Amino acid sequence: MTTELPLSLDTNVVSIAISLGNELSPRYGELLQSNRLALTYFALAELESANWSVEKTRRLNELVDQCILLNNPTEVTRLWFARAVQVRARLDLERGAEREDLWLIAQTAEYELPLLSHDYNAVRVASGLGLDCSRTLLNPQRLARFVAADARLLEKGAPS
């Protein structure tokens, strides 16, 4: 049995994986099948509130059944959320990383899980908090440029 931590799934990855017409669906599907998976309280709520077709709902339910569902958020989640808000502000991503993303990232950080997201801004905030986002299928060169520039920005504002 694997001892590797489960991947905390962003809702965009789940949406891609259950959308058979999406060109990334097979690649994310493989990734999801070969790893343990987790859904935050926030990701599950967001997925359950979406208006999916009958077929996508069936595929979603099959995927959710494979996931570890994280417990209700705690005080630690709220503390990570506050840190995520600060990172988002320092990276000037207020209009790019949504509050829902920050809550999902916060609970992922609380459990010290790697994040699997297909959203540059969410990955940038998560990386700024020290989360492992290395499994994403985002363009690696573009992401590396963002993360390097973000690290310089976060370093500048760090207390001495």
Side-chain angles (χ1 to χ4, degrees):
M1 181 165 173
T2 182
T3 58
E4 196 168 308
L5 291 172
L7 296 173
S8 178
L9 302 179
D10 194 344
T11 55
N12 53 41
V13 169
V14 173
S15 178
I16 291 168
I18 67 172
S19 299
L20 299 181
N22 188 302
E23 66 184 37
L24 291 172
S25 179
R27 291 180 57 205
Y28 272 119
E30 276 181 39
L31 196 55
L32 299 184
Q33 286 184 352
S34 63
N35 286 278
R36 292 175 48 214
L37 309 172
L39 284 174
T40 66
Y41 176 90
F42 305 99
L44 184 59
E46 192 175 342
L47 290 165
E48 289 178 340
S49 68
N51 189 18
W52 304 105
S53 69
V54 172
E55 183 56 27
K56 279 189 180 179
T57 299
R58 183 190 63 72
R59 288 193 298 272
L60 172 65
N61 290 336
E62 288 175 1
L63 180 59
V64 169
D65 287 345
Q66 299 172 36
C67 294
I68 298 164
L69 302 179
L70 303 184
N71 293 325
N72 292 343
T74 67
E75 177 66 28
V76 176
T77 303
R78 290 191 299 272
L79 294 172
W80 277 107
F81 176 78
R83 289 184 63 198
V85 168
Q86 291 170 349
V87 168
R88 177 181 73 172
R90 290 179 53 205
L91 298 179
D92 197 24
L93 294 174
E94 280 88 357
R95 296 197 189 276
E98 304 301 323
R99 293 180 71 78
E100 295 85 356
D101 297 325
L102 301 184
W103 281 112
L104 185 149
I105 291 166
Q107 194 169 34
T108 299
E110 175 181 359
Y111 282 82
E112 301 178 357
L113 299 177
L115 176 66
L116 182 60
S117 176
H118 199 79
D119 176 336
Y120 283 101
N121 293 326
V123 169
R124 290 171 67 189
V125 172
S127 294
L129 290 173
L131 294 180
D132 174 4
C133 300
S134 62
R135 303 279 182 84
T136 184
L137 297 180
L138 291 168
N139 179 293
Q141 293 81 17
R142 183 174 182 211
L143 184 58
R145 285 192 302 272
F146 278 134
V147 171
D150 292 346
R152 288 189 296 275
L153 275 174
L154 294 172
E155 178 78 18
K156 277 185 193 175
S160 322

